[in-house]
Amino acid sequence: MPVKTICWANNSIKIIDQRKLPGELKYIYCRDLKTIWDAIKTLAVRGAPALGVAAAFGVLLGVSKSKERNTSKFIKEIESVCDYIGTSRPTAVNLFNALNDIRKLVRENKDKSVIELKKLIRKCAFQIYEHDRKVCREMGKFGAKFIDNKKNYMTVCNAGSLATVDFGTALGVFYTAQKNKREFKVYSCETRPLLQGARLTAWELKKSKIDVTLICDNMAASLMRKIKISGIFTGADRIASNGDTANKIGTYNLAVLAKHHKIPFYVVAPFSTFDLNIDNGKQIPIEERKSDEITQIKGINIAPKGIKVYNPAFDVTDHNLITAIITERGVISPVNKQNIKKIFSCYA
Ligand code: MRU
């Protein structure tokens, strides 16, 4: 079964240190704000839904030890903790949605005492955590309908239990299909530069006894020509109002290849990954990361010293390349502004 990636334990945030996988399954206890900020920045904890939970627990961690007794000064502290966590990584909107949930809660309860506000923040953080567990299982049920017996599927990066509390979005679809006794194969793209596909997806699918085969990213096209791939399943970091979707760098390549090879391309993401404040993917902030993630492997240089590097962590897939977005409330297809608006107006 999938693993538990993040939880609240004895006044600390307990996370799997994903930088150490697959070699070592090691846990870190974040007991202060700086430690959880660093864990987010350095990808010890990662994946959009897990980042939402990490942000919520991060605020809880940051404010629970406050000695402040004056409510308005305490609210200022909460605001600055939220601002600080918001500087960790820019693309996954789940992180900002969690911070905004807490900000809104505090605004609506600005007359309460410090103790009451602390209790409300705690309750809200736990709700975000439980909600993730629930919606991943709902998405799994909707998505598993697209998995057939004896077929081949592909995924990129890690949208599994390691990217959520404990079940996954895209990989949650595979776990549900497995539970429904489907037999199928998954090809995991390694996902350069940080190898989330090789280190994390291959690890968790193998551990869960799903038939997984690892490929280098540049092997996807030739594999699509050689065998029939019946669907590509990915997660998302931010989905704009029109369905344009930011996900791990390389996702857009796969979507273009999928169109050429007539392979359905599915994005599996909860409502908390939508950013309805932006019209399209051009407005999604894309994180650029340090050059040594490309020029070095485990500290060893693999490129000339001083070489110029371009290292965006995400790309944007146009909505018209996406066959369907699988959410906790159902499947959006065709992917367009009207259909997204419709599902949100029914349920949000
Ligand atoms: O840089 P990462 O590892 O945080 O990127 C994660 C991804 O791109 C995932 O595919 C995405 O967050 C969806 S996770 C369910």
Side-chain angles (χ1 to χ4, degrees):
M1 262 309 277
V3 287
K4 183 164 278 188
T5 296
I6 180 165
C7 66
W8 184 256
N10 297 329
N11 296 322
S12 68
I13 309 171
K14 180 181 175 188
I15 54 170
I16 293 180
D17 185 350
Q18 299 190 32
R19 298 164 301 191
K20 299 266 191 276
L21 286 171
E24 205 186 334
L25 178 56
K26 190 184 157 218
Y27 292 86
I28 316 177
Y29 293 83
C30 304
R31 298 183 205 281
D32 58 65
L33 197 53
K34 173 83 172 72
T35 311
I36 187 65
W37 190 95
D38 286 342
I40 295 172
K41 184 75 181 172
T42 60
L43 274 58
V45 61
R46 43 138 311 273
L51 290 179
V53 177
F57 281 153
V59 179
L60 178 58
L61 194 64
V63 302
S64 55
K65 286 184 201 144
S66 169
K67 299 262 183 319
E68 188 55 65
R69 283 161 177 232
N70 175 287
T71 297
S72 50
K73 285 188 186 157
F74 182 59
I75 290 177
K76 285 208 176 93
E77 269 184 31
I78 301 169
E79 284 293 341
S80 77
V81 167
C82 289
D83 290 347
Y84 176 62
I85 295 173
T87 61
S88 55
R89 294 190 74 192
T91 304
V93 77
N94 309 57
L95 184 145
F96 299 95
N97 283 339
L99 296 177
N100 288 341
D101 284 355
I102 294 175
R103 282 194 166 106
K104 184 164 172 273
L105 179 80
V106 170
R107 264 202 312 276
E108 288 168 357
N109 290 280
K110 59 179 188 304
D111 300 328
K112 298 257 168 42
S113 70
V114 170
I115 293 176
E116 283 168 320
L117 281 175
K118 282 184 182 175
K119 280 190 191 151
L120 285 173
I121 290 172
R122 186 183 172 90
K123 191 170 165 210
C124 179
F126 275 87
Q127 273 167 354
I128 290 170
Y129 166 89
E130 285 300 343
H131 188 67
D132 175 73
R133 302 190 64 225
K134 185 166 169 271
V135 297
C136 283
R137 284 157 178 86
E138 297 302 326
M139 288 184 285
K141 283 183 208 153
F142 285 114
K145 294 178 187 144
F146 298 103
I147 305 285
D148 288 324
N149 241 343
K150 311 280 179 205
K151 297 278 163 70
N152 303 304
Y153 299 94
M154 190 178 276
T155 190
V156 62
C157 192
N158 173 267
S161 49
L162 290 166
T164 60
V165 170
D166 63 359
F167 195 71
T169 59
L171 301 193
V173 168
F174 299 143
Y175 294 134
T176 311
Q178 181 192 44
K179 204 170 137 224
N180 297 347
K181 308 268 182 263
R182 289 274 189 281
E183 281 176 34
F184 55 92
K185 279 181 193 289
V186 177
Y187 287 87
S188 171
C189 297
E190 65 171 350
T191 319
R192 273 279 289 157
L194 293 181
L195 304 174
Q196 288 92 332
R199 294 188 304 106
L200 309 177
T201 293
W203 180 80
E204 67 165 272
L205 290 182
K206 187 166 181 283
K207 193 171 156 64
S208 302
K209 299 193 168 32
I210 286 184
D211 184 345
V212 56
T213 303
L214 181 62
I215 59 168
C216 295
D217 300 321
N218 51 9
M219 295 169 187
S222 73
L223 184 67
M224 288 175 192
R225 191 152 63 182
K226 191 171 157 53
I227 65 166
K228 184 166 166 51
I229 301 285
S230 297
I232 298 173
F233 289 81
T234 79
D237 283 83
R238 192 183 293 232
I239 303 174
S241 305
N242 69 345
D244 289 355
T245 294
N247 192 48
K248 180 52 56 193
I249 190 77
T251 303
Y252 173 47
N253 301 33
L254 288 184
V256 172
L257 290 175
K259 187 179 167 98
H260 181 78
H261 292 271
K262 301 190 172 42
I263 299 169
F265 188 90
Y266 303 105
V267 169
V268 189
F271 278 17
S272 57
T273 303
F274 284 78
D275 183 352
L276 301 182
N277 295 316
I278 57 172
D279 294 327
N280 58 60
K282 289 198 189 98
Q283 293 163 274
I284 299 178
I286 299 293
E287 176 181 14
E288 286 198 33
R289 294 186 60 89
K290 288 195 310 192
S291 58
D292 61 12
E293 290 182 353
I294 292 187
T295 59
Q296 295 185 352
I297 292 181
K298 291 196 168 175
I300 296 169
N301 279 328
I302 55 159
K305 269 207 159 134
I307 193 75
K308 286 194 280 180
V309 163
Y310 170 56
N311 184 16
F314 302 95
D315 57 25
V316 175
T317 299
D318 309 352
H319 65 280
N320 53 24
L321 293 174
I322 302 170
T323 310
I325 301 178
I326 298 162
T327 76
E328 68 269 40
R329 297 293 194 177
V331 176
I332 303 168
S333 183
V335 177
N336 57 39
K337 201 179 173 103
Q338 293 75 5
N339 285 342
I340 291 175
K341 208 171 163 192
K342 199 153 101 195
I343 200 164
F344 268 84
S345 58
C346 289
Y347 294 109

